[in-house]
Amino acid sequence: MTAARRASLHTLGCRLNQAETAVLADSLSKRGYEIVPMGEPTDVVIVNSCSVTSEAEADCRRLVRAVMRRDPATLVAITGCYAQVGVATLQKLDGIDLIVGTEDKQRIPELLEEEHGKRSEPRVVRNRPGKETFEQNGTGLYLQQTRANLKIQDGCDVGCSFCIIPQTRGRARSRQFEDVVREARGLLQQGHRELVITGVNLGSYQDGDRNFVDLLGALDVLPGLQRLRISSIEPSTVTNQLLEFMASHRRVCRYLHIPIQSGCSETLARMRRPTSRQELEDVFARVQRILPEATLGTDVMVGFPGEDDAAFVRTQELITNAGFSYLHVFSYSPRPGTRATRLLDQVPRPVVKERSRKLHEIDRRLRETWGAAVVGNQVDVLLEERKPEGHWVGLTDQFHRVAVAEQANAGTTPLASNQLVRVRIVDRQPRFLWSELV
Ligand code: SF4
């Protein structure tokens, strides 16, 4: 009997990539592959890459070099956004056998069947993104996560001038409503308790006359569901219908990640963002009115061409007033192939660094306040993993990361992954909120 081929999968970038890696792992395992953690001896390494920043691309190249140092005989396949737009660079890197664009990502198991050893030149399989008919999943492995990512759409029609995603993933298209619900039901039957809705531009979901909120309504009633979490959502799609649905359906997490990128109207216009400063203020005023208890996070970019001191002050003002709990701060770097590379008036690197430092400092203070506000409260935590130090960590519906000490439960049922436990938050520390079982 021949041993099963082993495959390691590694995801860079967004939650959508994570969802797609999970589907890929599932189809490989159905073809008889053993899925092993990255770093263990393996026959195939698949990197689901990201191209959103130059750093993400560099991470992919570093990973390939590390694999080649460890085991030069391993077959290496690169897929994802970098494989879509960075073929010329990847072709120059030693050790890559397959470069598979976003459109053909789910064909990798079939493409691997045609590989019989290391290649001297990589085979490139790349088509224009945007025509993919969505795979029907239903019984995915989903990498044994307690939270399962549920992909509902792909692509984006917005065309922000700094963003490569419309080129890597193509135009917006939604999965069929019934397929999504069927997959969600399968995930819940496997024991997942939390579904995380993922896509490039979630709020643009539309299948016939059914929109994103209709889909949430159909998912919310599925048996076994404890939590439904919406991942990053564009401000232009945060409607009152959505906020009111979230406010009236307790299984939908009180959590919204709404990227602003900037708080300055002129900068937003140069970025070709679909929302002005005034519209952003309106979105956050509605969130505060309809869903005041929600954790609110955002992405903000510093150093976009033409961002002067006044524009940066406008961004800081918006951040102060919007009610954010945390920020993800990005420094602009030109992505070849995007419109923004043609903009003059680049911001000097030391200025970008200083603005980034200031926003990271604001982020630190926001997180402190966000965590401190729940000390003393009772919350439900979905346990994810046991740390070597002996405590469990998990998430609340508001996205607080909470540590639960195992000994606090001595003499009763042991804690376990995927268990929902009620705790009281007793302390805030930089990485976790500490809690005790109640
Ligand atoms: S909304 Fe803008 S930033 Fe987001 S994926 Fe679409 S083009 Fe990119």
Side-chain angles (χ1 to χ4, degrees), residues 156-160 162-166 200-201 234 261 273-274:
C156 179
D157 292 340
V158 175
C160 300
F162 55 82
C163 181
I164 195 78
I165 290 176
V200 174
N201 189 348
E234 275 297 303
Q261 308 303 357
R273 294 283 293 159

Side-chain angles (χ1 to χ4, degrees), residues 347-423:
V347 181
R349 289 325 285 175
V351 176
V352 178
K353 267 190 154 174
E354 177 56 15
R355 288 181 188 161
S356 170
R357 190 198 61 74
K358 281 189 178 153
L359 290 195
H360 276 105
E361 177 54 26
I362 293 175
D363 171 55
R364 194 188 58 73
R365 291 203 301 268
L366 288 174
R367 285 175 195 265
E368 260 178 30
T369 312
W370 175 45
V374 290
V375 173
N377 290 2
Q378 286 192 19
V379 291
D380 291 326
V381 176
L382 183 60
L383 299 179
E384 291 196 336
E385 61 169 327
R386 187 179 183 278
K387 294 287 177 189
E389 298 86 350
H391 58 264
W392 283 84
V393 288
L395 282 179
T396 68
D397 82 324
Q398 290 180 306
F399 215 57
H400 290 105
R401 189 155 287 277
V402 176
V404 187
E406 186 145 57
Q407 62 271 27
N409 205 30
T412 57
T413 319
L415 297 179
S417 176
N418 210 23
Q419 188 183 352
L420 202 61
V421 291
R422 177 137 273 237
V423 300

